[in-house]
Amino acid sequence: MTHTIKLKANSRPEVMERILRVVRHRGFNLEEVLMKQCQTTNSTKITLKVSGDRPISNLETQLNKLYDVSQLELHQSTATADSAVAMNA
Amino acid sequence: MTGAELVLKVLQQHGIKHIFGYPGGAIMPIYDALYDSDVEHFLCRHEQGAAFSAIGYARSTGKVGVCMATSGPGATNLVTGLADAMMDSVPVVAITGQVFSSLIGTDAFQEMDVLGMSLSITKQSFLVQSLDELADILHQAFEVAQSGRPGPVLVDIPKDIQVGSVDFEPYPIAQKQVPDFDAQVLADAQALIKAANKPLFYIGGGVGMADAIDEMQDLLAKTKIPAISTLKALGTVPADYPYNLGLVGMHGNQAANHAVQDCDLLICTGARFDDRVTGKLDTFAPNAKVIHLDIDPAEISKLRQADISILADFKKLLPELAVTTEISPWQQQVAELKTQYAWRYDYPGDSIYAPKLLNLLSQKLPFDHAVSCDVGQHQMWVAQHMLFSSPRNHLSSGGAGTMGFGLPAAIGVQVARPDCMSVVVSGDGSFMMNVQELGTIRRFKLPVKIVLLDNQRLGMVKQWQELFFEERYSETNLSDNPDFVTLAKAFDIPALTISQDDQIEDGINQLINTDGPFLLHVQIDDKENVWPLVPPGKANHDMLEGEKV
Ligand SMILES: Cc1ncc(C[n+]2csc(CCOP(=O)(O)OP(=O)(O)O)c2C)c(N)n1
Ligand SMILES: [Mg+2]
């Protein structure tokens, strides 16, 4: 499955590392990243496209409990080519 | 004032009177400020010792433990302790000195990316970037360490920020925020408990961490629902509760493991379905619906799907679950399991049977005592054969299983609770991992009582080699251990060796009655194993039961 997650986080220099570490450690692959600093609100907006077989809710809760993450939305989940084949088999 | 003085001021604002640490170049301004401060610093003999003492301090009181180290190797020596605190959800604040901001990233002397290293072993960490944010970050550190599911927080402070000058502004300390739970979900949970024929509380460390032991005990007294405990929960359920089944899991009581396999409703209360508890996960409590109660959303349905989950402060939630139950056949079954699988100590023989010694020790210790232990067979014997009146009195490295935990943790306990008898039960392998902390005991004249169970082996690993690796004893023989009595005496600690069953009583009496610290060196048979045991990959009802040698 591939999932798109949108995050708002505190604008600390290490925040991206922190988030990506959780993605990797909790068993997901990173497919795409978009990150933008917002100077006025001192926050960072991040969009991640990740793939993996584990339940995405586990990743959501782990990311959400990071102190620096203030908002998280799961945007869409789609079966990837590989897992689509697996599901049909 | 200077940034360094500010650090100590903020610590005091949070009620911190004692800290554990070790100085070095990049943290010298803070140590200089400490020289005139009322905060009492305990110099340990290794930063890992400082981290474990801070953990002992925190676990035995429920307060935040604080440790301090210099940059580079000082900070890396804290890492294992912080990882341990992370896995057992212990509120610890670690303060590390860092090189001058301008030198960060230049490979300066003792400059390491401590923030980078901290990411996976702390709940949150900060590299302070300016004096303006120093106070705020320190306050956040205390807030984060204690709120929700507790955990360690690291604050890395460059030297220029420690020496810079700043105004101190008192900071209002925020009240803990408690999530509110949904009335309908609560009603569903109550209904499920009422309807169950074989409900079982599966109690974890979360109850103690939420300071909700009274509420838990009250709930048990009202519902009379049987209970099993994780390693971290031991002491939560009163020892004389008739349906207290004790430790569950790999080395749990047979009765607890059979009960959990048979229950029809598992009420997981601040526990996390660790593999040492569940055995083969998909065979764990196979007939049970699950109610999962926790403060951490990430634990819900992480490993076992919950039928109902409630996120809440247990102090508020537990009283709401006191429904009336009609479960006498189940209670009877549990009582019978308890009798059937009760421990016995009446084995013949002259050598010392460690479980018997620990059980007797447990009976003889004064009411106000706490036992810290290390990791291995002796740790499991402590969990099985000693009784605790609170989880704050049983400190065991659970999630991380870190050898070397016991001695420095017991030091932290003794500093936090001077009137308490702080006991460490260690193994000959583990003891040597932080043996330098005997120096801390000596320096501060701490009356820590040490019981060293010496089987001349890395016993737990050896047991696995015997059972699962065809008795190929690779690198687990410690028969060239030092003379532990002489070692203790080098630190002015009186010590005694015992090796016979009829010396147990006298040994324990000397340990307890000698003023100040004492080391009781107990020689035991290297072939004694921990039973029962759920082999890896097996279900909890498939326990192996061995013979006493
Ligand atoms: C830091 C660390 N290294 C290695 C291990 C693996 N380990 C688990 S128990 C054990 C043996 C412990 O020996 P000892 O302290 O003598 O206790 P015993 O099992 O003999 O009672 C080892 C090596 C560990 N848990 N922690
Ligand atoms: Mg040993």
Side-chain angles (χ1 to χ4, degrees), chain B residues 47-327:
Chain B
E47 291 86 351
Q48 188 181 110
F52 285 141
S53 290
I55 290 174
Y57 191 95
R59 285 183 66 160
S60 64
T61 59
K63 297 188 211 158
V64 179
V66 179
C67 57
M68 243 163 46
T70 191
S71 66
T76 56
N77 277 347
L78 289 181
V79 164
T80 301
L82 296 178
D84 191 280
M86 184 71 176
M87 297 204 73
D88 279 341
S89 311
V90 186
V92 166
V93 170
I95 294 170
T96 47
Q98 180 56 278
V99 301
F100 280 86
S101 304
S102 56
L103 291 177
I104 295 179
T106 68
D107 307 313
F109 177 64
Q110 294 192 330
E111 187 235 323
M112 291 183 201
D113 179 11
V114 173
L115 182 68
M117 285 188 273
S118 72
L119 296 179
S120 64
I121 51 147
T122 57
K123 183 174 172 190
Q124 171 66 354
S125 48
F126 302 90
L127 169 58
V128 181
Q129 289 178 301
S130 74
L131 250 176
D132 298 340
E133 62 174 29
L134 177 62
D136 192 44
I137 283 180
L138 287 164
H139 289 300
Q140 286 179 61
F142 278 92
E143 158 77 20
V144 176
Q146 300 173 83
S147 61
R149 177 177 180 170
V153 179
L154 179 137
V155 184
D156 198 26
I157 312 178
K159 205 167 175 180
D160 48 303
I161 292 175
Q162 298 174 40
V163 297
S165 62
V166 63
D167 291 331
F168 174 71
E169 282 164 31
Y171 183 94
I173 293 179
Q175 291 298 311
K176 265 217 261 179
Q177 290 203 353
V178 185
D180 252 336
F181 42 89
D182 188 88
Q184 185 55 49
V185 183
L186 176 66
D188 292 347
Q190 289 166 334
L192 208 54
I193 298 173
K194 245 178 138 58
N197 294 317
K198 298 178 172 189
L200 184 66
F201 274 108
Y202 156 34
I203 300 175
V207 175
M209 303 307 287
D211 200 13
I213 295 164
D214 290 347
E215 288 77 4
M216 187 74 235
Q217 295 189 347
D218 218 49
L219 179 58
L220 292 172
K222 285 188 175 135
T223 59
K224 304 266 190 324
I225 293 176
I228 55 174
S229 296
T230 67
L231 190 69
K232 237 191 108 183
L234 293 176
T236 307
V237 182
D240 59 1
Y241 179 59
Y243 311 111
N244 173 20
L245 286 153
L247 185 69
V248 64
M250 181 172 271
H251 290 295
N253 303 338
Q254 291 259 21
N257 280 341
H258 286 296
V260 74
Q261 294 304 83
D262 201 27
C263 72
D264 67 358
L265 175 67
L266 192 65
I267 312 163
C268 173
T269 314
R272 59 186 177 84
F273 295 90
D274 182 78
D275 54 283
R276 286 297 191 264
V277 162
T278 62
K280 193 168 187 293
L281 185 62
D282 57 13
T283 63
F284 181 66
N287 311 318
K289 291 201 163 163
V290 172
I291 298 179
H292 198 153
L293 315 172
D294 212 289
I295 190 79
D296 179 1
E299 287 306 335
I300 308 294
S301 301
K302 182 181 81 177
L303 291 160
R304 170 78 177 246
Q305 189 64 36
D307 296 280
I308 294 180
S309 63
I310 305 180
L311 294 170
D313 181 334
F314 286 166
K315 263 184 129 49
K316 269 173 86 181
L317 172 64
L318 297 183
E320 303 288 336
L321 295 173
V323 297
T324 40
T325 54
E326 305 269 348
I327 52 170

Side-chain angles (χ1 to χ4, degrees), chain B residues 80 374-379 381 400-404 426-431 433 453-462 478 524:
Chain B
T80 301
D374 263 297
V375 173
Q377 294 179 311
H378 63 280
Q379 174 191 33
W381 286 325
T402 315
M403 290 171 70
S426 190
D428 51 318
S430 299
F431 188 64
M433 282 220 179
L453 295 179
D454 180 5
N455 51 9
Q456 304 196 11
R457 296 293 182 282
L458 296 173
M460 185 57 95
V461 180
K462 194 213 141 199
L478 300 182
I524 57 173

Side-chain angles (χ1 to χ4, degrees), chain B residues 284-431:
Chain B
F284 181 66
N287 311 318
K289 291 201 163 163
V290 172
I291 298 179
H292 198 153
L293 315 172
D294 212 289
I295 190 79
D296 179 1
E299 287 306 335
I300 308 294
S301 301
K302 182 181 81 177
L303 291 160
R304 170 78 177 246
Q305 189 64 36
D307 296 280
I308 294 180
S309 63
I310 305 180
L311 294 170
D313 181 334
F314 286 166
K315 263 184 129 49
K316 269 173 86 181
L317 172 64
L318 297 183
E320 303 288 336
L321 295 173
V323 297
T324 40
T325 54
E326 305 269 348
I327 52 170
S328 37
W330 173 233
Q331 288 164 330
Q332 173 124 19
Q333 185 185 338
V334 164
E336 280 163 17
L337 278 171
K338 279 188 69 167
T339 321
Q340 184 183 348
Y341 292 110
W343 300 116
R344 51 174 289 221
Y345 304 102
D346 54 346
Y347 297 101
D350 295 334
S351 63
I352 292 180
Y353 182 46
K356 174 178 166 181
L357 179 140
L358 292 173
N359 189 255
L360 195 69
L361 175 65
S362 198
Q363 294 170 35
K364 289 201 164 209
L365 284 170
F367 177 75
D368 187 10
H369 71 261
V371 179
S372 307
C373 58
D374 263 297
V375 173
Q377 294 179 311
H378 63 280
Q379 174 191 33
M380 293 299 114
W381 286 325
V382 167
Q384 292 175 335
H385 304 286
M386 297 188 82
L387 295 175
F388 301 99
S389 57
S390 159
R392 287 187 182 161
N393 297 337
H394 172 241
L395 286 75
S396 190
S397 170
T402 315
M403 290 171 70
F405 174 90
L407 185 62
I411 290 172
V413 173
Q414 194 70 81
V415 169
R417 291 165 49 182
D419 298 329
C420 157
M421 185 167 281
S422 175
V423 181
V424 48
V425 177
S426 190
D428 51 318
S430 299
F431 188 64

Side-chain angles (χ1 to χ4, degrees), chain B residues 357-358 360-366 369-372 386 414 421-426 446-453 488 493-498 503-522:
Chain B
L357 179 140
L358 292 173
L360 195 69
L361 175 65
S362 198
Q363 294 170 35
K364 289 201 164 209
L365 284 170
H369 71 261
V371 179
S372 307
M386 297 188 82
Q414 194 70 81
M421 185 167 281
S422 175
V423 181
V424 48
V425 177
S426 190
L446 300 172
V448 171
K449 309 292 184 183
I450 304 164
V451 178
L452 180 51
L453 295 179
I493 298 173
L496 170 75
T497 297
I498 59 173
Q503 297 171 309
I504 290 181
E505 184 121 9
D506 178 50
I508 291 178
N509 287 342
Q510 287 202 40
L511 177 86
I512 294 177
N513 298 331
T514 306
D515 275 342
F518 194 87
L519 184 145
L520 183 63
H521 174 229
V522 185

